[in-house]
């Protein structure tokens, strides 16, 4: 009964959160569609059509991210395999290469240890992609993102640092909350699920994620994986 009640509460929380987040893009789509029915001038039609496309993309991404997060939270175990940490990072960088090129952002990759870790390859790669997406969104064009590792007796540390605007102090305690997001300088509003996903992936691996502002600017994200993982 306890498990059933917990499952019911879990579903209710997700439905409530999803409903709340769907309201804004659905309202924007409905308003744009109604205005298009009035046959406005060409430039206005183009703007409203672009808005419908952007909001539809946001809805699709929101649903996909929420399903990803739900599958992680409710899954009892990962299917793990031995893989080099550098392979995880390389695949993640390749996945965001178009965004890096668009914003002329360089990757400074310095992995000195390159350990072999026992992980769910797809999930950990997606976690790194989510972190890189954030780093790109909050970085100015022409800057760089540093990716490096640090030695530790008990854990593998993967650090990703951008040289962007940093996180406001009032938001530091909220960044892992579902659907919490900050205004992004060059992109549409995010789903607010990226870091929640990262945290759940690290928890499943017995590790953790730490996010902080760098003293010299930008954000530092540290992924910590136990060496017995």
């Amino acid at each position: 009964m306890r498990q059933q009640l917990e499952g019911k509460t879990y579903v209710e929380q997700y439905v409530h959160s999803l409903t709340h987040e769907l309201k804004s893009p659905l309202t924007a789509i409905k308003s744009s569609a109604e205005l298009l029915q009035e046959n406005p001038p060409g430039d206005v039609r183009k703007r409203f059509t672009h808005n419908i496309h952007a909001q539809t993309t946001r809805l699709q991404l929101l649903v996909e991210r929420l399903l990803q997060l739900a599958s992680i939270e409710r899954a009892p175990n990962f299917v793990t395999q031995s893989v080099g940490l550098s392979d995880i990072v390389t695949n993640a960088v390749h996945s965001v290469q178009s965004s890096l090129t668009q914003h002329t952002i360089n990757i400074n990759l310095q992995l000195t240890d390159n350990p072999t870790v026992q992980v769910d390859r797809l999930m950990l790669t997606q976690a790194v992609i989510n972190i890189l997406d954030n780093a790109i969104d909050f970085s100015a064009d022409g800057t760089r993102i540093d990716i490096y590792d640090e030695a530790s007796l008990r854990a593998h540390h993967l650090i990703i640092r951008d040289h962007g605007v940093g996180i406001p102090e009032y938001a530091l305690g909220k960044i892992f909350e579902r659907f919490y997001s900050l205004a992004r300088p060059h992109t549409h509003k995010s789903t607010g699920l990226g870091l929640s996903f990262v945290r759940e992936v690290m928890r499943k691996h017995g590790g953790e994620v730490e996010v902080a502002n760098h003293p010299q600017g930008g954000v530092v994200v540290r992924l910590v994986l136990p060496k017995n993982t």
Side-chain angles (χ1 to χ4, degrees), residues 40 104 107 123 196:
T104 60
I107 294 291
M123 291 303 175
S196 295

Side-chain angles (χ1 to χ4, degrees), residues 106-118:
N106 295 317
I107 294 291
N108 177 28
L109 181 59
Q110 296 184 9
L111 297 181
T112 58
D113 189 19
N114 186 26
T116 298
V117 291
Q118 190 73 20

Side-chain angles (χ1 to χ4, degrees), residues 8 23 31 41 47 67 86 99 131 170-171 173 180 182 185 193 219:
K8 182 175 182 293
K23 284 183 179 180
S31 298
R47 186 170 71 250
L67 289 173
S86 66
S99 295
I131 295 169
Y170 67 83
Y180 184 81
L182 295 167
L193 293 171
V219 173

Side-chain angles (χ1 to χ4, degrees), residues 13 23 55 63 65 70 113 119 121 124 144 166 222 228:
Q13 289 175 344
K23 284 183 179 180
Q55 295 299 330
V63 171
R65 286 287 176 86
D113 189 19
V119 297
R121 182 180 188 132
L124 187 58
R144 76 173 191 272
R222 181 184 296 267
N228 60 356

Side-chain angles (χ1 to χ4, degrees), residues 68-69 72 123 126 130 193-201:
Q68 277 185 340
L69 182 58
I72 291 296
M123 291 303 175
Q126 185 60 54
N130 288 359
L193 293 171
L195 286 179
S196 295
F197 179 87
V198 173
R199 182 175 60 178
E200 290 302 321
V201 169

Side-chain angles (χ1 to χ4, degrees), residues 25-54:
L26 285 174
T27 298
I29 292 172
K30 183 174 183 294
S31 298
S32 296
E34 289 174 348
L35 290 170
L36 284 172
Q37 289 179 340
E38 299 178 3
N39 195 27
D43 58 334
V44 177
R45 286 200 307 271
K46 184 177 181 180
R47 186 170 71 250
F48 289 146
T49 302
H50 174 77
N51 187 47
I52 290 175
H53 181 269

Side-chain angles (χ1 to χ4, degrees), residues 67-73 75 77-81 88 119-130 197-198 200-202 204-205 223:
L67 289 173
Q68 277 185 340
L69 182 58
S71 68
I72 291 296
E73 291 179 339
N77 295 298
F78 279 157
V79 178
T80 62
Q81 64 184 114
I88 297 288
V119 297
D120 185 301
R121 182 180 188 132
L122 291 177
M123 291 303 175
L124 187 58
T125 300
Q126 185 60 54
V128 176
I129 289 172
N130 288 359
F197 179 87
V198 173
E200 290 302 321
V201 169
M202 298 308 296
K204 290 290 185 180
H205 285 96
L223 300 180

Side-chain angles (χ1 to χ4, degrees), residues 65-181:
R65 286 287 176 86
L66 191 57
L67 289 173
Q68 277 185 340
L69 182 58
S71 68
I72 291 296
E73 291 179 339
R74 305 304 289 178
N77 295 298
F78 279 157
V79 178
T80 62
Q81 64 184 114
S82 296
V83 58
L85 191 58
S86 66
D87 292 338
I88 297 288
V89 174
T90 299
N91 289 334
V93 171
H94 285 168
S95 296
V96 299
Q97 189 58 58
S98 60
S99 295
L100 292 169
T101 301
Q102 179 183 356
H103 297 287
T104 60
I105 295 175
N106 295 317
I107 294 291
N108 177 28
L109 181 59
Q110 296 184 9
L111 297 181
T112 58
D113 189 19
N114 186 26
T116 298
V117 291
Q118 190 73 20
V119 297
D120 185 301
R121 182 180 188 132
L122 291 177
M123 291 303 175
L124 187 58
T125 300
Q126 185 60 54
V128 176
I129 289 172
N130 288 359
I131 295 169
L132 290 174
D133 282 339
N134 282 344
I136 293 169
D137 286 348
F138 288 101
S139 294
D141 292 357
T143 56
R144 76 173 191 272
I145 297 172
D146 301 322
I147 305 176
Y148 56 97
D149 57 353
E150 290 182 353
S152 171
L153 291 176
R154 297 183 179 181
H156 304 294
H157 294 249
L158 177 66
I159 298 95
I160 301 173
R161 182 209 167 181
D162 64 55
H163 294 259
V165 297
I167 302 172
E169 289 296 325
Y170 67 83
L172 282 172
K174 303 178 181 179
I175 56 175
F176 289 110
E177 295 178 6
R178 291 179 197 150
F179 303 111
Y180 184 81
S181 63

